[in-house]
C-alpha cells in the first residue's frame, strides 16, 4: 500500500516498512531449531491465510486463527486502524516469517527455542478436524476476512 501510494507514512515508518519488504530477515535459525519439533512449516510469502491454507490442505485439517493473538508491528498499529492492520497481517504477503504447527506436547520446546534465539514466537491458533482456515476473535466469535492472500493462478 505504501509503495502504491495508497498509504502515507512518515519517513521513519517508511524506512521500517521498506526494509521489511525489500530486506526481510530469513528465519533460518528458527527453521533449523524446529527440526524434529514442528509437524509442518511454511514461510509467509502469500499471506498468512493463503500459506496456512496450504498446511491445512496438506494436513487434511482445519486451521483456526485467533486474530487477537496476531503479532502486529508498532508501525502498522500507528498508521492504520485495527481492522486494516489485521487484513494486512492475514492477507499481505512478503513477510517471510515462518508459520508452523507443533503438537501440544512440543510447545515447551518452542518456548525454549524462542528464549534461546531471543526472538518472540507467537501461538496464533490451533489445528483441528475439518478443512480450510477460519478466523476468530479472542472470545471465539467468527471474524470474516474478505480476501485470502495472494493467489498465483487466479
Amino acid at each position: 500500500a505504501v509503495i502504491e501510494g495508497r498509504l502515507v507514512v512518515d519517513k521513519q515508518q517508511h524506512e521500517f516498512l521498506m526494509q521489511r519488504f525489500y530486506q526481510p530477515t530469513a528465519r533460518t535459525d528458527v527453521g533449523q531449531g524446529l527440526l524434529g519439533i514442528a509437524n509442518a512449516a511454511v514461510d509467509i510469502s502469500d499471506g498468512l491465510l493463503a500459506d496456512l491454507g496450504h498446511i491445512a490442505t496438506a494436513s487434511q485439517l482445519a486451521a483456526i486463527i485467533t486474530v487477537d493473538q496476531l503479532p502486529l508491528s508498532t508501525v502498522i498499529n500507528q498508521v492504520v486502524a485495527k481492522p486494516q492492520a489485521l487484513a494486512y497481517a492475514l492477507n499481505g504477503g512478503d513477510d517471510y516469517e515462518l508459520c508452523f504447527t507443533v503438537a501440544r506436547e512440543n510447545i515447551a520446546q518452542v518456548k525454549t527455542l524462542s528464549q534461546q534465539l531471543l526472538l518472540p514466537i507467537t501461538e496464533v491458533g490451533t489445528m483441528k478436524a475439518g478443512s480450510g482456515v477460519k478466523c476468530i476473535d479472542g472470545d471465539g466469535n467468527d471474524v470474516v476476512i474478505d480476501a485470502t492472500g495472494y493467489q498465483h493462478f487466479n
Side-chain angles (χ1 to χ4, degrees):
V2 172
I3 292 169
E4 293 174 347
R6 293 183 286 114
L7 180 62
V8 178
V9 296
D10 69 27
K11 184 178 186 232
Q12 186 176 9
Q13 294 163 337
H14 186 271
E15 288 173 3
F16 172 81
L17 294 169
M18 292 304 102
Q19 186 278 325
R20 293 285 296 149
F21 183 78
Y22 288 114
Q23 298 170 331
T25 302
R27 300 297 185 194
T28 54
D29 51 352
V30 177
Q32 291 171 346
L34 290 171
L35 288 172
I37 299 172
N39 295 324
V42 65
D43 71 329
I44 304 171
S45 57
D46 295 335
L48 179 58
L49 290 177
D51 291 318
L52 181 55
H54 300 313
I55 290 176
T57 299
S59 303
Q60 298 181 337
L61 292 169
I64 312 300
I65 299 171
T66 305
V67 297
D68 296 342
Q69 294 175 209
L70 290 173
L72 303 173
S73 72
T74 301
V75 170
I76 204 64
N77 283 323
Q78 291 171 344
V79 298
V80 296
K82 186 174 181 178
Q84 183 60 59
L86 290 174
Y88 285 150
L90 292 165
N91 297 309
D94 299 308
D95 288 327
Y96 302 104
E97 293 292 343
L98 294 180
C99 173
F100 59 91
T101 63
V102 298
R104 245 325 124 208
E105 60 266 18
N106 291 337
I107 290 179
Q109 290 175 274
V110 173
K111 289 180 180 179
T112 299
L113 176 64
S114 176
Q115 292 167 348
Q116 289 171 343
L117 297 176
L118 302 174
L119 183 70
I121 297 176
T122 307
E123 182 178 346
V124 299
T126 59
M127 302 295 287
K128 67 177 200 173
S131 63
V133 179
K134 177 181 175 180
C135 294
I136 60 173
D137 65 19
D139 295 323
N141 300 311
D142 288 346
V143 175
V144 178
I145 305 297
D146 292 331
T148 58
Y150 183 77
Q151 303 296 316
H152 290 273
F153 302 106
N154 286 352

